[in-house]
Amino acid sequence: MAKKKTIHDFYEMKKNGEKITFLTSYDFPTAQFAEAAGLDMLLVGDSLGMCVYGYSGTVPVVMDQMIFHANAVRRGAPNTFVIGDMPFMSYQSSLEKAVENAGRFLKEAECDAIKLEGGVRIVPQIKAIVEAGIVVMGHIGLTPQSSGQLGGHKAQGRTAETAKLVVEDALAVQSAGAQMILLEAIPPEIGAYIAKKSTIPALSIGAGPGCDGQLLIVSDLIGQFQAFTPKFVKKYCNVAETVTNAMRAYCADVRHGAFPAEEHCYRMLEGEERKFKDLMKTEG
Ligand code: KIV
């Protein structure tokens, strides 16, 4: 079994140009698969609101849900670096709340780090959480929790002026003490520029190949999430089709009496069926 990586390993990987593999995970079995597949990091993302709970966005997700899922992921992937994602309103309203909720991921789910959305405007929160001794991953570019302000789930930094703002966010997050940064849905030129300019690992989800590593949402990668498919997604299998076909085959077997078959039945012990029939006769 590979040794669990630490933040220092990720710095080393950035220095050596070795790409970091990063995937979301929300439950025990998927975390087991991810660890077996050799993922470097797992994000218990608030995208579970859409991928697991069927909400239309991430805003309704609350801290307790995140802790339950982070716990399951930790149990499934005990030797993988796990990051807990701070849900909407778990860090915006006060620094105390931000530190307390970040701490819950470590104390109650044994996460290795936390992630929170926002650049310049959440510098005080990042500083306070780092000050408490917690490894922080910043998240800039398209930030789904504030997609209302962004006018929807839209790529960011596509003009020179807005790209400059994204770079300013990245540098502010780094200066505040974040030890990693996630760049979502920005042009590859800007992703590569930030990765080169920053001293901390810059991970991409739709920020191009020039970043220090790549993140995908597991439900997209396995073809499970069906509501929409962002441009940055590559599907590696089609679980929705495979599972639906398996369920159809099960229904057909039950309807036609092909399931359960002899091998699925618990037979009575030798001679017990005759005794049972006698017993039932005497009972009347
Ligand atoms: O919750 C999540 O999975 C995320 C990704 C969209 C980056 O934050």
Side-chain angles (χ1 to χ4, degrees):
M1 187 184 298
K3 196 175 136 279
K4 183 176 160 186
K5 292 193 170 73
T6 70
I7 186 67
H8 298 291
D9 294 307
F10 301 129
Y11 276 84
E12 204 55 27
M13 288 172 83
K14 177 180 174 87
K15 204 174 83 192
N16 299 334
E18 208 183 317
K19 298 286 183 186
I20 299 165
T21 56
F22 189 19
L23 192 62
T24 67
S25 181
Y26 315 116
D27 58 49
F28 175 80
T30 315
Q32 283 186 311
F33 301 150
E35 185 157 295
L39 265 296
D40 294 314
M41 300 182 194
L42 292 178
L43 172 69
V44 185
D46 64 353
S47 49
L48 62 79
M50 299 156 91
C51 300
V52 177
Y53 288 91
Y55 304 144
S56 62
T58 57
V59 166
V61 176
V62 296
M63 265 310 290
D64 283 346
Q65 280 171 305
M66 295 304 301
I67 296 292
F68 293 145
H69 287 271
N71 246 304
V73 169
R74 170 46 80 215
R75 284 193 290 272
N79 290 304
T80 306
F81 193 92
V82 172
I83 303 172
D85 198 11
M86 306 276 291
F88 185 59
M89 280 303 140
S90 67
Y91 57 97
Q92 289 90 341
S93 58
S94 76
L95 297 187
E96 289 72 24
K97 202 167 170 183
V99 174
E100 255 167 48
N101 283 323
R104 285 190 66 190
F105 278 110
L106 274 70
K107 280 180 85 76
E108 297 175 40
E110 296 180 65
C111 286
D112 300 289
I114 63 93
K115 172 175 92 56
L116 73 178
E117 294 184 9
V120 172
R121 69 179 174 188
I122 55 134
V123 159
Q125 281 88 337
I126 296 178
K127 281 187 175 160
I129 297 169
V130 169
E131 190 70 17
I134 297 170
V135 175
V136 171
M137 171 180 272
H139 175 176
I140 62 161
L142 168 54
T143 44
Q145 289 172 14
S146 45
S147 61
Q149 283 182 339
L150 302 177
H153 286 80
K154 288 187 178 150
Q156 302 294 302
R158 298 183 81 184
T159 64
E161 282 300 311
T162 55
K164 184 166 174 278
L165 295 177
V166 175
V167 172
E168 282 166 10
D169 273 340
L171 298 178
V173 163
Q174 174 175 291
S175 304
Q179 288 180 279
M180 291 178 281
I181 186 158
L182 177 65
L183 313 172
E184 179 167 355
I186 60 170
E189 302 88 328
I190 309 308
Y193 180 87
I194 293 171
K196 201 152 173 237
K197 200 102 179 117
S198 60
T199 55
I200 58 177
L203 285 303
S204 152
I205 178 160
C211 295
D212 300 312
Q214 297 294 328
L215 168 68
L216 272 182
I217 305 251
V218 67
S219 318
D220 289 330
L221 178 147
I222 64 173
Q224 187 181 47
F225 183 70
Q226 299 184 82
F228 60 88
T229 305
K231 184 175 172 59
F232 54 70
V233 167
K234 179 171 175 184
K235 280 192 190 183
Y236 285 82
C237 63
N238 195 338
V239 154
E241 196 177 292
T242 307
V243 172
T244 309
N245 284 340
M247 291 174 177
R248 274 197 195 108
Y250 164 69
C251 290
D253 275 1
V254 170
R255 286 176 189 134
H256 299 118
F259 176 84
E262 178 58 30
E263 68 266 30
H264 307 119
C265 296
Y266 300 96
R267 286 285 171 198
M268 290 187 87
L269 302 179
E270 188 71 35
E272 294 298 319
E273 189 183 1
R274 191 187 39 78
K275 280 194 223 161
F276 170 73
K277 284 180 178 160
D278 290 347
L279 195 62
M280 297 315 282
K281 251 188 251 159
T282 45
E283 297 264 317

